[in-house]
Amino acid sequence: MLHNFAADFEMYGVLDAVASGPIDARLSENSTMVGVGMSMEGIEQNPIVYDLMSEMSFHQRQVDLQVWVETYPTRRYGKSVVGLQDAWRILHQTLYNCTDGKNDKNRDVIVAFPDVEPFVIQTPGLYARTSKNYSTLALENYVVKDASNDAYEQPHIWYDTVAVIHALELFLEYGDEVSDSSTFRYDLVDLTRQALAKYANQIFLKIIQGYKSNNINQVTTLCDRFLNLVNDLDMLLASHEGFLLGPWLESAKGLARDHEQEIQYEWNARTQITMWFDNTNTKASLLRDYANKYWSGLLRD
């Protein structure tokens, strides 16, 4: 399973394929399969995907995902809570049911370097298929890249965002029963991050729309809202150790043998998650933003 690139943050997966693929491969005619493995570029995200894949070496038949997902929150949080089972059922059908054939790479606006000419970003269908304040836009409604400009990569959206918001509401409504669980708090922070990030993408498109129509009031109001979202996300992420910048920097510096190395290693750690040594005007690094992170301490400034 190649699931993640650059250890970026996106709640994403194809659980149905994970639950059946290894079994189908082993039982296929003339199969030469010898084992099950994982080759992610980064881990420490999407625990449910790695939980299931880690089991697949030991299963002799396809996993009944309806049962598996229903019991997952009990295993993960240590207590059976019907509301959280309902929430995970929704997440299985949305975030963890990506069937558009695209590998996921997080390109949310908040974690992208702002270096795109606004008129390159097209905004047709901005209000299409919208429920409440959250859009469930098809991919083609996000942006169309100019052939001469590869700088803007459209965010990947494959699920009903309104349904995911409802799952988050269930987390908030029933979470008190397992609030002492670190794994629950991690999932709550991650799901809230996911919802706010997609909402921010929509605000961004409305800012571009206002810019193109010279609507200064719309641009000013929505820019303030967008920047407030960045600050809100930074504060949210600070509430769980799994979303902090500090451990990344300190672990890098901890490998140094002297002060000079410490400076170099910290610089390496900082540039990898931002510009990836993109310091020229003529040949920008294609890896800038590649390892973007939703980490408190990184978003705000």
Side-chain angles (χ1 to χ4, degrees), residues 252-267:
K253 292 190 291 184
L255 298 172
R257 297 182 177 180
D258 54 47
H259 182 63
E260 185 177 352
Q261 270 194 350
E262 182 176 316
I263 294 174
Q264 179 65 43
Y265 288 0
E266 181 178 358
W267 182 88

Side-chain angles (χ1 to χ4, degrees), residues 1 14-28 31 33-37 52-63:
M1 180 180 73
V14 194
L15 291 184
D16 290 74
V18 175
S20 61
I23 306 300
D24 292 342
R26 183 172 61 82
L27 298 179
S28 63
S31 173
M33 179 177 175
V34 295
V36 173
L52 178 58
M53 188 62 183
S54 297
E55 287 188 15
M56 294 312 297
S57 293
F58 307 98
H59 284 292
Q60 300 301 312
R61 58 183 61 87
Q62 293 184 8
V63 173

Side-chain angles (χ1 to χ4, degrees), residues 6 17 24 123 137 241 251 300:
D24 292 342
T123 55
L137 288 170
E241 62 184 7
S251 64
R300 186 184 299 272

Side-chain angles (χ1 to χ4, degrees), residues 33-245:
M33 179 177 175
V34 295
V36 173
M38 293 181 276
S39 56
M40 58 282 170
E41 286 188 358
I43 199 167
E44 297 180 348
Q45 34 69 37
N46 290 292
I48 191 171
V49 176
Y50 295 92
D51 190 336
L52 178 58
M53 188 62 183
S54 297
E55 287 188 15
M56 294 312 297
S57 293
F58 307 98
H59 284 292
Q60 300 301 312
R61 58 183 61 87
Q62 293 184 8
V63 173
D64 184 337
L65 267 185
Q66 183 175 345
V67 174
W68 193 92
V69 171
E70 184 175 323
T71 57
Y72 176 75
T74 303
R75 297 194 304 274
R76 182 156 171 79
Y77 309 141
K79 184 178 182 180
S80 177
V81 181
V82 173
L84 296 179
Q85 292 174 338
D86 292 340
W88 273 105
R89 192 175 298 113
I90 294 171
L91 298 182
H92 168 216
Q93 297 166 352
T94 52
L95 294 172
Y96 294 107
N97 185 35
C98 182
T99 57
D100 61 10
K102 298 179 181 293
N103 291 324
D104 190 67
K105 186 72 182 72
N106 191 301
R107 295 300 180 194
D108 289 333
V109 175
I110 283 182
V111 291
F113 189 72
D115 58 354
V116 184
E117 162 59 44
F119 286 97
V120 169
I121 304 170
Q122 297 186 14
T123 55
L126 180 61
Y127 301 102
R129 295 171 58 201
T130 301
S131 175
K132 297 182 180 179
N133 293 322
Y134 298 91
S135 172
T136 54
L137 288 170
L139 283 169
E140 62 268 23
N141 288 334
Y142 260 89
V143 295
V144 176
K145 292 194 297 182
D146 183 273
S148 63
N149 191 330
D150 290 330
Y152 192 84
E153 296 190 48
Q154 58 193 10
H156 184 196
I157 191 78
W158 64 94
Y159 59 88
D160 182 349
T161 52
V162 176
V164 171
I165 294 295
H166 180 53
L168 176 57
E169 291 171 345
L170 293 173
F171 262 70
L172 294 169
E173 182 177 355
Y174 295 99
D176 284 349
E177 297 187 48
V178 289
S179 60
D180 59 342
S181 165
S182 178
T183 49
F184 170 76
R185 294 197 301 273
Y186 176 94
D187 292 344
L188 176 60
V189 170
D190 202 21
L191 184 55
T192 308
R193 175 206 58 74
Q194 182 82 14
L196 290 178
K198 302 311 173 188
Y199 180 48
N201 290 342
Q202 291 303 298
I203 292 178
F204 172 73
L205 288 182
K206 292 178 182 179
I207 291 172
I208 298 301
Q209 187 180 59
Y211 179 84
K212 291 178 179 179
S213 60
N214 294 317
N215 187 335
I216 186 65
N217 290 330
Q218 178 176 330
V219 171
T220 302
T221 300
L222 292 179
C223 280
D224 286 343
R225 185 181 302 176
F226 184 91
L227 293 174
N228 285 335
L229 265 177
V230 175
N231 290 331
D232 288 345
L233 270 168
D234 196 272
M235 184 180 299
L236 167 75
L237 297 171
S239 67
H240 195 283
E241 62 184 7
F243 300 93
L244 300 179
L245 170 64

